Amino acid sequence: MDGDTTTTARSEGDGRQGGHALPQVSAPRNPGMPLDLDRVMRVQANTSAIERRCAALPGRRSIKKDWQAAWLVRAIQCIDLTTLSGDDTPGRVRRLCAKARRPLRHDIAEALGVEGVTTGAVCVYHAMVPTAVAALKGSGIPVAAVSTGFPAGLSPYRLRVAEISESVAAGAEEIDIVISRRHVLTGDWQALYDEVAEFRAACGPAHVKAILATGELGSLRNVARASLVCMMAGADFIKTSTGKESVNATLPVTLVMLRAIRDYHELTGARVGYKPAGGISTAKDALMYLALVKEELGDRWLSPDLFRFGASSLLGDIERQLEHHLTGAYSVSWHQPMA
Amino acid sequence: MTVQEILETMEYGPAPESAEAALAWIEEAGGAFGHFIGGLWTEPGEGFDSRNPATGDVLARLTQATQADIDAAVAAARAAQPAWEGQGGPARARVLYALARLLQKHARLFSVLEVLDNGKPIREARDIDVPLAIRHFYYHAGMAQLMEAELPDRRAHGVCGQIVPWNFPLLMLAWKVAPALATGNAVVLKPAEYTSLTALLFAQVCQEAGVPPGVVNIVTGDGAAGRMLVHAEVDKIAFTGSTAVGREIRRATAGSGKALTLELGGKSPYIVFDDADLDSAVEGLVDAIWFNAGQVCCAGSRLLVQEGVAERLHHKLKARMDRLRMGDPLDKSIDLGAVVDPVQLAAIRSMVDAGGAEGDVYHAAVQVPEGCYYPPTLVTGLAPSARLMQEEIFGPVLVSTTFRTPSEAVALANDTRYGLAASVWSENVNLALDVAPRLAAGVVWVNGTNFFDAAAGFGGVRESGFGREGGWEGLGAYLREDWPAPLPIPHPAPALAAPQAAPGIDRTAKMYVGGKQARPDGGYSRAIRAAGGHLLGHVGVGNRKDIRNAVDAAERAEAWSRMTGHSRAQILYYVAENLAARTGEFAARIDAMTGGDDGSKEVEAAIRRLFTWAAWADKHDGAAKGVPMRGLALALNEPIGVIGALCPAEAPLLGLISAMGPAVATGNRVVLIPSEPFPLAATDFYQVLDTSDVPAGVVNIVTGAPADLAPVLAAHAAVGAVWNFADPALTRAIEEKAADTIKRTWSLRTDWHAPQAEGRSFLRAATEVKTVWVPFGE
């Protein structure tokens, strides 16, 4: 495995506003470890118990008033503001990047005392990487590129590896790779490990987020085992979904992946990040995801270097909630500037 | 804190539920409550303060019930009950439905009031206690609607005295009141003195729901009031609380004819096998032992973990404990609230202080507020012999030990006086479903804990009590049936002036113990004479050692309980076949002893009865309950174990068969005390058993005086139930002795030739429902 465990994905000295050092750069990378199949096969995930824990969570944790506002601001900081559409154009991507730089209406940000808050990253297809890099220049916001034959991951292996290098060369600092679901479904853990390890190597200094496509893995046990294998192979983040599966991020899947991250941390000391993606569209959902992360992994993970939301419409709802927090009146979408 | 500052800490912040409406309700009542009797409130009288354990504040002034209050409440219930039962099930169903709806409408008020009174987290009252209480009334509205068609021969007891504990004040009220009302009983309920407020609010709801005055009466007070209620003119007592008080109630009601159900303490095992989802098992422990701060009768308080994963599990558990949040019970993000009262806090503290040194005590690294709070605690490294491993703590204290194999897990799990609940964690369905039936518990949760529902029976075995709450099995506890009058007992013959030899070769009637004929331990025999007075033979005079030997033999015959119903049926049919072959001989024996001439009729009836129980052996089906969960809640009819039966005097053979048949058909082993005046039919009968492949120890026969033997049986810890079909005068002594080990008793005199003498009541008496919850999903 490459020895770049402390390499930061980004150069220092990016111009950042408001003195908020984005912490994306602070965590040492996951060095990975040899595939430990005994450990992988020992992993269990009891679906109904996991579902009960998640179903009870909203009743167990309630975040109100200023705390809710702060948590929602943190949620914004953790958003990978995303557009992954066939009709993406440079203009559309530039608008998105502008929104990433200034996700909150200026008066709302000011009233909350959180001017300078940005989203965690902007996430686009390879073709849009140069546009996004240019649009975000000087903001400190990294560009993430989905890669490796996203979303199905079934293009020629050689091309999938090459796609990573091209996106990195184009300036992407984070690469969201998709794994070959068939390796999980057939129990070929070695193949999965080798694939992710090679993707990781191809990323070089760019952080690698391994998309498991949990909606296609058949069982939570498979999700748990695949999570562990991807981390052993050196994934910096594990991510639920492409957003294109019929079932994307859910709390049960999240609980399973967070527990895998915790086990891996205890085993190796390495902190791997988590990114739920797809289907998280309300501020309330976002609070529950953050609460679950806090419960299972602790406060250290409540930070953009270790936690991201892959979401396109979440920001809008958070903006409305924050306006409501300030005014006491419910808001509408057209009060918030579009992306 | 500013938003900026919170961003640094990412704390949860406060999320308080308002107490305003609940406090306003108390204030509206003037801050003081009387009793609710006959649909009216009595003037508040001498009494005591009800306090909020989280703050120590006085919430309200409550009235201590006097004897006159109890009498008035029971009289009001007595007066109201016939009309209530007479209304019929469908009319009662509407009232129960209204109660359910009104509880739902006032759900938040009940929740907050419960929190103020008890100290449990609002999350639990709001999401668990109150919804379950509501569900209980809905479910029993349906029971009221259906019971007349489904249970046509059964009737309400009349007036039920109900005593509920402080840990689930409203929920336990619902568990008691809903089935009682559904079946047409009237109730006098006494809530625990720490937590009476939701019961008083419920009284108000009863008025709104149109419950006729006197059908529900609520009296407040401490244990003294409870004692008065137990001694009052009630037909049934239903109690949930400690084993010590349950025992006292059993003694107090002994021989009174009052029906009784007891739901008592526990030290429920929580078994984690090495293939379990350990993280989920840890999360399950949060619900098992930190739910309601461990003040839960069925709390999974005894962690048994397979040795190879113990260290990992304990490590994960401690980390999880450190993340629990203790504090203001009205805060919506609190996991543990206050302990119910400083008295309880002191009890928990003293137990851990005294016993903790036998293991390693770990207190969670949580902020423990000032006052009535005890931190989540884990004690590892305890041996089964440690006091903390055996005694109920009733607080947020988990104790732990390890096991090597599934059999050892079962042995450790069952190494307790209690038998309320158990949890089994394994991803292997073969293992989990093998272990579940072997656990001595009324409820078993597979890969989960503390699942409850109105449709699923809940209750214990051993010293955790008897009777079930919930489901059809729970409904039965509020119903009785009328029995035909017994036939007269023929007079035993007087001895002739001069001793006379029995005709033919001298035959020695012995006891029958463990498949062998046994001489009486005491070495005494008693002459049995024919109706004409001449000697028929001698039988041994059994004593306590004969009972001991018989119970030992019965215990050892445990394989019978695991045998298939089909196999048991085959053996019972074979017994019938062999008895039939000797009809003439048995008929003559009966006629000779009793001086009657219908011995052949009795033998014929006995053969028919054996056929009936053989038929039932493979048909006493369990059920899969319709619980609101993706999973199964299986009601399994499990044998009691060893049943001691005092057989009726007047039907020497039929009476014996009537006791033996249902017991062994359902998998029990029996110790039978045959008809005292006419025992020779029983001693002849063991030869039939011998020739019918009945395994040794399944049926044991000890002749002797029931008055001497019954108390020994009732006191024997290995006997699960005592049936007294012989002499009602013995019931009191039996029930007093049975209190020591909280065993079930049944006293019945009836016409043994009647069809009811082979009815379902016998099946119910011979089995206890075990509810096994198996959630599933991949």
Side-chain angles (χ1 to χ4, degrees):
Chain A
M1 187 68 45
D2 46 15
D4 61 347
T5 60
T6 56
T7 308
T8 59
R10 300 143 32 72
S11 55
E12 297 299 320
D14 289 332
R16 293 195 196 109
Q17 299 155 17
H20 302 291
L22 288 175
Q24 281 93 324
V25 295
S26 61
R29 295 190 65 181
N30 168 27
M33 60 175 274
L35 179 63
D36 182 347
L37 270 178
D38 285 347
R39 202 171 282 272
V40 172
M41 297 314 290
R42 206 168 62 193
V43 171
Q44 297 287 4
N46 186 280
T47 300
S48 66
I50 287 162
E51 287 173 350
R52 285 195 301 276
R53 161 76 165 140
C54 295
L57 183 70
R60 288 182 199 263
R61 292 295 180 260
S62 189
I63 301 114
K64 298 292 181 197
K65 300 189 187 299
D66 283 351
W67 284 267
Q68 186 182 91
W71 281 51
L72 291 177
V73 170
R74 175 52 44 86
I76 291 173
Q77 292 177 308
C78 293
I79 290 178
D80 279 5
L81 201 60
T82 301
T83 185
L84 295 171
S85 296
D87 58 0
D88 284 342
T89 60
R92 157 73 180 148
V93 169
R94 277 193 287 272
R95 267 166 37 204
L96 192 76
C97 292
K99 185 70 178 170
R101 283 171 177 268
R102 185 179 280 185
L104 281 175
R105 214 174 67 202
H106 69 94
D107 57 320
I108 293 176
E110 197 177 299
L112 293 170
V114 295
E115 302 95 326
V117 159
T118 70
T119 68
V122 166
C123 182
V124 295
Y125 271 116
H126 171 78
M128 294 297 143
V129 170
T131 309
V133 167
L136 291 172
K137 189 167 172 55
S139 69
I141 302 169
V143 173
V146 297
S147 193
T148 65
F150 182 95
L154 290 169
S155 50
Y157 185 70
R158 180 175 54 79
L159 298 183
R160 282 185 271 150
V161 175
E163 188 182 0
I164 293 173
S165 317
E166 300 230 354
S167 292
V168 173
E173 294 172 88
E174 301 178 1
I175 303 293
D176 291 21
I177 60 111
V178 290
I179 64 163
S180 295
R181 280 72 120 181
R182 65 184 184 281
H183 294 332
V184 178
L185 295 172
T186 59
D188 193 348
W189 303 111
Q190 186 67 52
L192 176 65
Y193 178 89
D194 292 344
E195 174 182 87
V196 175
E198 187 162 358
F199 289 167
R200 156 82 195 247
C203 284
H207 282 210
V208 57
K209 304 200 196 95
I211 302 173
L212 304 186
T214 53
E216 294 177 348
L217 297 188
S219 71
L220 291 179
R221 192 172 40 255
N222 272 349
V223 170
R225 291 178 179 175
S227 297
L228 199 51
V229 171
C230 287
M231 290 186 283
M232 288 172 173
D236 297 294
F237 261 73
I238 51 175
K239 174 177 168 183
T240 56
S241 324
T242 65
K244 312 287 187 191
E245 291 85 54
S246 58
V247 180
N248 295 292
T250 64
L251 280 179
V253 155
T254 298
L255 182 56
V256 167
M257 293 172 74
L258 296 179
R259 285 172 173 173
I261 289 170
R262 184 174 61 206
D263 281 351
Y264 185 76
H265 173 62
E266 282 181 8
L267 178 65
T268 64
R271 291 191 175 86
V272 172
Y274 174 65
K275 179 177 172 184
I280 304 162
S281 56
T282 69
K284 195 170 181 220
D285 287 347
L287 291 174
M288 281 305 108
Y289 277 87
L290 288 170
L292 194 56
V293 170
K294 182 178 172 78
E295 290 291 306
E296 295 291 325
L297 294 176
D299 294 345
R300 176 62 188 86
W301 263 266
L302 292 175
S303 162
D305 66 335
L306 290 172
F307 181 73
R308 299 284 181 81
F309 287 110
S312 45
S313 60
L314 171 63
L315 179 56
D317 194 55
I318 291 177
E319 289 175 82
R320 283 205 302 276
Q321 292 306 319
L322 288 174
E323 184 179 351
H324 170 250
H325 171 73
L326 292 170
T327 64
Y330 292 109
S331 176
V332 288
S333 61
W334 40 268
H335 276 201
Q336 320 304 335
M338 269 181 77
Chain B
M1 268 181 136
T2 65
V3 169
Q4 272 276 328
E5 285 163 350
I6 298 167
L7 269 173
E8 300 294 318
T9 65
M10 288 301 284
E11 283 175 4
Y12 282 115
E17 176 75 41
S18 168
E20 205 177 316
L23 293 173
W25 177 78
I26 294 172
E27 207 173 299
E28 244 169 67
F33 293 86
H35 311 296
F36 183 70
I37 296 174
L40 300 170
W41 292 96
T42 66
E43 283 299 313
E46 283 288 297
F48 52 96
D49 288 334
S50 187
R51 286 174 187 278
N52 177 346
T55 60
D57 295 345
V58 174
L59 290 168
R61 185 87 193 140
L62 303 182
T63 304
Q64 171 71 31
T66 63
Q67 188 63 52
D69 294 329
I70 300 286
D71 291 346
V74 172
R78 182 69 65 197
Q81 191 270 331
W84 173 244
E85 185 174 13
Q87 279 190 17
R92 292 196 302 275
R94 294 177 180 211
V95 174
L96 280 143
Y97 179 72
L99 282 170
R101 300 291 285 198
L102 282 161
L103 280 171
Q104 207 157 34
K105 288 176 202 170
H106 300 308
R108 195 53 63 93
L109 180 59
F110 272 107
S111 303
V112 174
L113 193 60
E114 196 81 302
V115 171
L116 291 174
D117 209 8
N118 165 280
K120 66 174 64 199
I122 182 69
R123 198 276 303 184
E124 295 179 7
R126 183 197 62 204
D127 294 354
I128 298 169
D129 294 34
V130 173
L132 280 172
I134 293 166
R135 160 100 176 117
H136 227 77
F137 279 98
Y138 276 124
Y139 181 84
H140 283 94
M143 285 300 204
Q145 186 73 22
L146 298 178
M147 63 161 282
E148 283 161 12
E150 294 298 310
L151 305 167
D153 300 324
R154 304 182 75 193
R155 301 197 37 209
H157 282 296
V159 176
C160 301
Q162 307 186 315
I163 301 170
V164 296
W166 46 256
N167 55 349
F168 295 92
L170 179 71
L171 182 57
M172 291 300 105
L173 174 150
W175 283 19
K176 299 275 182 287
V177 172
L181 296 193
T183 44
N185 293 277
V187 305
V188 178
L189 178 126
K190 189 199 82 69
E193 72 269 29
Y194 294 154
T195 55
S196 302
L197 295 179
T198 47
L200 297 171
L201 176 58
F202 177 77
Q204 190 180 309
V205 165
C206 285
Q207 291 175 312
E208 294 173 28
V211 176
V215 169
V216 172
N217 304 276
I218 313 272
V219 292
T220 53
D222 61 9
R227 237 165 267 132
M228 290 177 204
L229 182 53
V230 167
H231 283 102
E233 289 293 312
V234 296
D235 305 300
K236 176 190 165 74
I237 291 289
F239 172 75
T240 296
S242 73
T243 294
V245 174
R247 189 173 283 130
E248 193 188 316
I249 290 173
R250 170 72 287 182
R251 289 196 184 109
T253 56
S256 67
K258 290 174 188 169
L260 182 64
T261 44
L262 299 172
E263 201 269 89
L264 309 176
K267 189 79 179 174
S268 297
Y270 188 102
I271 306 169
V272 181
F273 287 102
D274 61 5
D275 68 337
D277 172 356
L278 295 187
D279 287 305
S280 289
V282 165
E283 202 55 48
L285 280 166
V286 172
D287 291 329
I289 185 65
W290 294 304
F291 176 50
N292 201 7
Q295 304 166 112
V296 181
C297 51
C298 54
S301 54
R302 209 157 41 101
L303 172 60
L304 308 176
V305 51
Q306 199 153 11
E307 204 169 326
V309 294
E311 202 181 316
R312 232 168 0 122
L313 186 82
H314 289 150
H315 173 76
K316 283 175 179 287
L317 181 57
K318 288 174 184 172
R320 181 68 184 94
M321 288 167 69
D322 292 346
R323 287 195 199 285
L324 291 169
R325 304 187 81 230
M326 279 196 98
D328 177 6
L330 277 173
D331 189 300
K332 294 174 207 162
S333 301
I334 283 299
D335 297 311
L336 281 91
V339 169
V340 72
D341 190 87
V343 172
Q344 184 63 18
L345 179 68
I348 297 165
R349 190 167 280 152
S350 81
M351 283 191 77
V352 176
D353 289 352
E358 293 180 69
D360 301 310
V361 179
Y362 181 78
H363 294 300
V366 297
Q367 275 201 308
V368 183
E370 282 293 302
C372 212
Y373 292 88
Y374 195 84
T377 299
L378 168 68
V379 189
T380 51
L382 287 172
S385 58
R387 270 189 66 189
L388 287 182
M389 221 44 206
Q390 303 197 325
E391 292 174 19
E392 188 178 34
I393 299 172
F394 225 65
V397 182
L398 178 67
V399 298
S400 177
T401 193
T402 62
F403 65 86
R404 297 167 296 174
T405 63
S407 291
E408 191 172 59
V410 171
L412 282 167
N414 292 345
D415 185 28
T416 171
R417 306 170 77 95
Y418 295 111
L420 191 47
S423 285
V424 179
W425 287 79
S426 167
E427 289 300 295
N428 179 347
V429 69
N430 301 306
L431 176 58
L433 295 184
D434 178 46
V435 166
R438 292 160 67 194
L439 297 171
V443 186
V444 179
W445 296 298
V446 173
N447 291 323
T449 190
N450 282 342
F451 303 143
F452 310 102
D453 185 62
F458 180 91
V461 298
R462 297 185 178 170
E463 291 182 29
S464 292
F466 48 75
R468 292 291 175 265
E469 297 186 290
W472 292 98
E473 56 270 41
L475 200 71
Y478 286 92
L479 293 165
R480 64 183 173 87
E481 62 183 297
D482 294 322
W483 292 88
L487 301 178
I489 302 170
H491 290 290
L496 293 181
Q500 203 181 30
I505 297 175
D506 184 70
R507 276 176 64 191
T508 308
K510 297 202 180 109
M511 317 250 173
Y512 187 63
V513 172
K516 293 197 173 72
Q517 301 180 24
R519 287 200 177 77
D521 171 83
Y524 288 100
S525 294
R526 184 168 71 91
I528 303 299
R529 294 176 193 284
H534 68 269
L535 187 66
L536 286 174
H538 289 85
V539 292
V541 177
N543 67 12
R544 55 185 292 116
K545 297 224 167 106
D546 295 308
I547 293 291
R548 177 200 64 190
N549 295 343
V551 173
D552 280 354
E555 264 205 287
R556 280 196 300 274
E558 191 260 341
W560 179 256
S561 298
R562 283 181 278 115
M563 196 181 265
T564 63
H566 173 73
S567 302
R568 290 198 295 261
Q570 296 309 300
I571 289 170
L572 280 168
Y573 283 126
Y574 197 20
V575 173
E577 183 188 323
N578 286 324
L579 178 60
R582 294 168 66 171
T583 300
E585 176 201 334
F586 273 89
R589 184 65 117 176
I590 293 165
D591 289 342
M593 286 192 294
T594 62
D597 58 5
D598 51 6
S600 61
K601 199 178 135 207
E602 183 174 337
V603 177
E604 199 42 56
I607 294 165
R608 199 171 57 235
R609 188 137 300 164
L610 282 166
F611 259 68
T612 294
W613 294 119
W616 269 115
D618 56 1
K619 294 175 189 66
H620 188 30
D621 301 332
K625 296 303 185 82
V627 294
M629 166 191 268
R630 188 188 61 219
L632 295 168
L634 300 172
L636 308 177
N637 293 311
E638 294 204 331
I640 304 282
V642 177
I643 294 175
L646 311 173
C647 302
E650 70 274 21
L653 181 66
L654 179 60
L656 182 95
I657 299 292
S658 297
M660 182 196 86
V664 302
T666 49
N668 296 282
R669 297 87 73 194
V670 290
V671 176
L672 302 170
I673 315 295
S675 165
E676 185 178 22
F678 314 115
L680 294 177
T683 54
D684 292 347
F685 183 66
Y686 64 62
Q687 293 182 344
V688 175
L689 296 173
D690 262 343
T691 54
S692 306
D693 296 342
V694 178
V698 172
V699 179
N700 304 277
I701 298 171
V702 177
T703 51
D708 295 338
L709 302 180
V712 182
L713 267 178
H716 198 305
V719 174
V722 176
W723 294 351
N724 176 15
F725 301 154
D727 182 359
L730 298 176
T731 297
R732 180 175 178 152
I734 290 170
E735 292 184 343
E736 279 175 351
K737 290 287 182 195
D740 294 344
T741 50
I742 316 282
K743 63 172 58 77
R744 296 172 61 172
T745 60
W746 188 21
S747 186
L748 177 67
R749 295 276 294 139
T750 191
D751 173 2
W752 295 97
H753 287 272
Q756 248 178 296
E758 52 184 47
R760 282 176 179 266
S761 294
F762 288 83
L763 291 172
R764 284 192 293 270
T767 55
E768 193 71 272
V769 172
K770 172 187 275 181
T771 306
V772 179
W773 292 74
V774 190
F776 50 70
E778 174 68 18

